[in-house]
C-alpha cells in the first residue's frame, strides 16, 4: 500500500530530477508563511503578544532561513546506493502521513473535549509520547498504519459524539483500508470495534430501532474498504484472503545468495522465519488465522510486562515511550469512583472505545509478544506496537482533561497558557536533556545506555505526576503543580524521539539524508555517530 500511495510523490519528484531537494526546501520555507496568512484570517489574536504583531517577524525569519538553505544547498544524487528517487518519494509520503495523523489527533481531541487549545495540548502530548517522529523519517510502513488507525478512531469518536451513522460507515470502511496497510492490525481493530459497536448500540434502547434498520449495515463497509487488499492478494498470492507477506519463498519474489540461501530468512531456536506462500483455498486462510492467534502461554504475563516496562532486549518499553497510559489508567478510575458526575455517558463511551482500540493493537501481536520482549530488532520488535501509542495517549489526555474539568470551578485554568507552557518546555527541557545525555552519558555512550537514561527519567516523572494528582485530590497543592509535572513528563519521550531521529535515523538503510541543508550541516558539524561494521 505504501509504494502505491507514494506514486504521486514520485511523479512530483520526477519533475525536478536531482534538484527535487530544492522543491522541499522551498516548501519548508513557505509553510510558516502560509500559516501566518491562515492564522491572520481565522485566528488573528494568535498572531499577537500584547500589542506586538508576529506577522512580519515570522515572514522575515522564514525568508532568512530559505536564503541560508539556498547558500548551503547542493542536489541529492541518485547514483549512490542509498539514495534512490523511489526511497525519497516513500519518505516524503511518510512525512505527509505524519502531518495527517497530527490533524486527525487534533480533530479527535476537539470532538471529545470541545476546546481548541486543549486539543492542541492533546495533539502535542500524543505526538510527543510516541515514536512517530522517527517513523516519519524512513521507508517503513509504521507511519502508514498509524495514520489509518488515527482516522478509524476519529470517525468512531465522531459517531459516538454525534450518532451519525455515516461516521460509522466511514470508520468501518477505513478498517478495511487498514487491513491493506497491516492485515493483522486491520483484523484486530475490526473485531474489537465490531464488539464495541454492537454493544454500544444494543445497550442503548434509543439506538436499537435505528440500529436494526440502518446501522447494522455499517460493519459491511469493511469489506468494501478491503477491496484493494483483496485485489492485491489475488494478484500476488493467487488467493484474495492470503496476505502478500506470506510469499517470501515464492519464485519471483525471493532472492538467493551465492550459497543458495534465501536472503532475508532467519533461523532462531531452529524456527525458520521465511514463510512459503500458501497453496490457496480457504484452508490456507484458516491456517494463517491460527498462526496469528497463537502465543506462548507460559511466558505471556512476563512478556507483556517486559514489553510494557523494560524489555529483556534492552529496547525501550511501550510504557516509557507513552507514559500517558499510566496517567490514564490511574487518574480515570480514581476520578470515576470519587465523583462519577464529572463523566457524562458519552465520556464513558469514549473511554471504553479507546480501551478497546488499545487492547486491539496488543491482541494483534500476542503471537509476537515473546519475540518483542527478547528480540534486538531482527524479527519481531516493539516497533509493531506503534499504533497503540495513539489510543493509550488519548486515554492519558482524557485523564488530564478530567482533572482540569473537575478543578476549573475552584481554580483558574487557562488552556492556552497550559499549551504554551508545553511548547516552552519542548524548547528548553528537550535540548537540556539531550545535552546532559551527550556530555554525561549516565548509563554509557550506547543505545542501551540512552534507553536506560530516558526510561528512569520517565519512571520518576510518572511517579511525581501521580503523587501530584493525589495531592491535588486531597486539596494539599494547587492543580498548577500537576500541570507542571505533566508538561515535564511529556517532554521526556519527545527528547528520546529527537535523539532517535538525529542519532539513529542516519544509520537506517531505509532512511534518507536530511532534507534541509541547515539541519544537515548542523548534524555534520555537531554530532558524531560511530557505526559498528555489519
Amino acid at each position: 500500500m505504501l509504494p502505491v500511495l507514494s506514486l504521486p510523490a514520485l511523479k512530483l519528484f520526477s519533475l525536478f530530477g536531482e534538484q527535487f531537494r530544492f522543491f522541499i526546501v522551498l516548501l519548508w520555507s513557505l509553510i510558516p508563511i502560509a500559516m501566518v496568512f491562515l492564522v491572520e484570517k481565522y485566528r488573528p489574536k494568535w498572531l499577537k503578544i500584547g500589542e506586538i504583531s508576529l506577522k512580519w517577524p515570522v515572514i522575515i525569519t522564514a525568508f532568512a532561513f530559505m536564503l541560508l538553505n539556498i547558500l548551503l544547498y547542493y542536489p541529492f544524487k541518485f547514483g549512490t546506493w542509498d539514495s534512490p528517487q523511489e526511497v525519497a518519494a516513500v519518505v516524503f509520503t511518510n512525512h505527509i502521513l505524519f502531518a495527517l495523523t497530527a490533524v486527525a489527533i487534533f480533530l479527535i481531541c476537539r470532538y471529545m473535549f470541545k476546546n481548541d487549545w486543549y486539543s492542541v495540548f492533546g495533539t502535542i502530548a500524543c505526538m510527543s509520547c510516541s515514536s512517530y517522529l522517527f517513523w516519519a523519517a524512513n521507508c517503513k510502513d509504521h507511519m502508514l498504519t498509524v495514520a489509518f488507525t488515527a482516522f478509524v478512531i476519529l470517525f468512531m469518536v465522531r459517531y459516538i459524539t454525534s450518532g451519525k451513522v455515516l461516521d460509522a460507515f466511514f470508520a468501518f470502511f477505513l478498517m478495511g483500508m487498514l487491513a491493506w496497510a497491516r492485515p493483522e492490525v486491520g483484523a484486530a481493530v475490526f473485531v474489537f470495534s465490531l464488539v464495541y459497536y454492537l454493544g454500544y448500540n444494543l445497550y442503548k434502547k434509543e439506538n436499537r430501532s435505528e440500529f436494526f434498520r440502518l446501522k447494522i449495515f455499517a460493519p459491511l463497509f469493511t469489506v468494501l474498504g478491503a477491496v484493494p487488499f483483496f485485489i492485491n492478494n489475488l494478484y500476488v498470492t493467487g488467493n484474495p484472503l492470503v496476505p502478500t507477506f506470506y510469499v517470501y519463498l515464492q519464485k519471483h519474489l525471493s532472492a538467493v545468495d551465492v550459497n543458495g540461501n534465501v536472503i532475508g530468512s532467519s533461523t532462531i531456536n531452529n524456527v525458520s522465519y521465511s514463510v512459503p506462500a500458501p497453496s490457496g483455498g480457504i484452508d490456507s486462510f484458516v491456517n494463517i488465522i491460527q498462526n496469528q492467534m497463537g502465543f506462548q502461554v507460559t511466558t505471556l504475563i512476563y512478556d507483556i510486562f517486559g514489553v510494557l516496562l523494560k524489555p529483556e532486549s534492552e529496547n525501550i518499553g511501550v510504557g516509557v515511550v507513552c507514559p500517558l497510559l499510566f496517567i490514564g489508567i490511574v487518574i480515570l478510575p480514581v476520578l470515576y469512583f470519587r465523583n462519577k458526575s464529572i463523566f457524562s455517558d458519552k465520556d464513558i463511551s469514549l473511554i471504553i472505545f479507546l480501551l478497546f482500540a488499545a487492547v486491539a493493537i496488543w491482541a494483534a501481536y500476542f503471537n509476537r509478544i515473546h519475540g518483542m520482549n527478547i528480540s534486538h530488532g531482527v524479527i519481531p520488535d516493539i516497533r509493531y506496537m506503534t499504533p497503540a501509542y495513539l489510543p493509550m495517549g488519548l486515554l492519558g489526555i482524557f485523564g488530564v482533561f478530567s482533572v482540569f474539568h473537575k478543578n476549573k470551578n475552584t481554580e483558574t485554568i487557562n488552556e492556552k497558557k497550559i499549551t504554551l507552557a508545553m511548547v516552552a518546555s519542548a524548547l528548553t527541557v528537550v535540548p537540556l536533556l539531550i545535552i546532559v545525555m551527550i556530555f554525561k552519558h549516565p548509563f554509557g555512550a550506547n543505545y542501551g545506555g540512552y534507553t536506560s537514561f530516558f526510561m528512569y527519567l520517565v519512571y520518576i516523572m510518572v511517579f511525581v505526576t501521580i503523587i501530584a494528582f493525589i495531592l491535588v485530590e486531597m486539596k494539599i497543592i494547587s492543580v498548577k503543580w500537576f500541570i507542571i509535572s505533566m508538561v515535564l513528563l511529556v517532554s521526556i519521550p519527545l527528547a528520546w524521539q529527537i535523539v532517535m531521529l538525529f542519532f539513529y535515523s542516519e544509520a537506517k538503510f531505509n532512511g534518507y539524508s536530511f532534507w534541509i541543508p541547515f539541519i544537515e550541516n548542523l548534524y555534520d558539524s555537531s554530532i558524531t555517530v560511530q557505526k559498528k561494521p555489519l
Side-chain angles (χ1 to χ4, degrees), residues 9-166:
L10 182 61
K11 293 293 184 181
L12 177 65
F13 287 172
S14 67
L15 298 177
F16 299 92
E18 293 187 344
Q19 303 296 335
F20 77 93
R21 188 188 193 190
F22 182 79
F23 163 76
I24 294 175
V25 171
L26 185 63
L27 179 64
W28 185 80
S29 303
L30 292 178
I31 284 175
I33 298 174
M35 290 171 64
V36 165
F37 288 110
L38 285 171
V39 172
E40 184 181 39
K41 182 174 178 59
Y42 296 104
R43 296 287 190 275
K45 292 182 180 179
W46 293 10
L47 268 180
K48 291 185 178 181
I49 299 179
E51 296 298 322
I52 302 175
S53 174
L54 298 177
K55 176 181 177 180
W56 288 109
V58 172
I59 291 175
I60 293 172
T61 302
F63 272 112
F65 269 103
M66 182 173 67
L67 293 174
L68 177 61
N69 282 312
I70 291 174
L71 180 65
L72 300 172
Y73 173 83
Y74 66 90
F76 285 154
K77 299 293 183 181
F78 294 147
T80 58
W81 69 273
D82 60 344
S83 298
Q85 192 176 26
E86 293 83 359
V87 173
V90 175
V91 173
F92 189 72
T93 302
N94 272 332
H95 292 356
I96 296 172
L97 292 168
F98 174 85
L100 291 174
T101 301
V103 173
I105 295 173
F106 173 80
L107 293 175
I108 292 168
C109 291
R110 193 163 67 173
Y111 282 114
M112 292 196 300
F113 309 125
K114 313 297 183 184
N115 184 291
D116 281 352
W117 277 109
Y118 191 73
S119 298
V120 175
F121 173 88
T123 303
I124 296 173
C126 285
M127 298 299 274
S128 298
C129 295
S130 70
S131 56
Y132 301 161
L133 277 172
F134 180 77
W135 294 121
N138 57 56
C139 273
K140 301 292 285 186
D141 63 350
H142 302 299
M143 202 63 245
L144 172 68
T145 308
V146 170
F148 274 90
T149 303
F151 278 96
V152 167
I153 294 175
L154 169 61
F155 281 100
M156 284 299 291
V157 166
R158 278 170 56 105
Y159 171 70
I160 295 169
T161 55
S162 69
K164 295 180 179 179
V165 68
L166 188 61

Side-chain angles (χ1 to χ4, degrees), residues 155-230:
F155 281 100
M156 284 299 291
V157 166
R158 278 170 56 105
Y159 171 70
I160 295 169
T161 55
S162 69
K164 295 180 179 179
V165 68
L166 188 61
D167 291 324
F169 284 10
F170 275 120
F172 281 102
F173 177 84
L174 287 166
M175 290 177 207
M177 296 293 291
L178 178 59
W180 190 17
R182 277 278 176 175
E184 65 275 19
V185 176
V189 169
F190 169 73
V191 170
F192 278 81
S193 297
L194 179 63
V195 172
Y196 172 85
Y197 182 74
L198 294 174
Y200 175 78
N201 285 284
L202 296 177
Y203 176 76
K204 293 194 171 187
K205 294 181 180 179
E206 63 272 20
N207 286 1
R208 291 178 186 174
S209 60
E210 186 182 358
F211 176 73
F212 286 107
R213 284 189 292 108
L214 185 60
K215 293 182 179 180
I216 195 172
F217 295 106
L220 298 179
F221 274 67
T222 306
V223 178
L224 184 62
V227 166
F229 171 63
F230 296 140

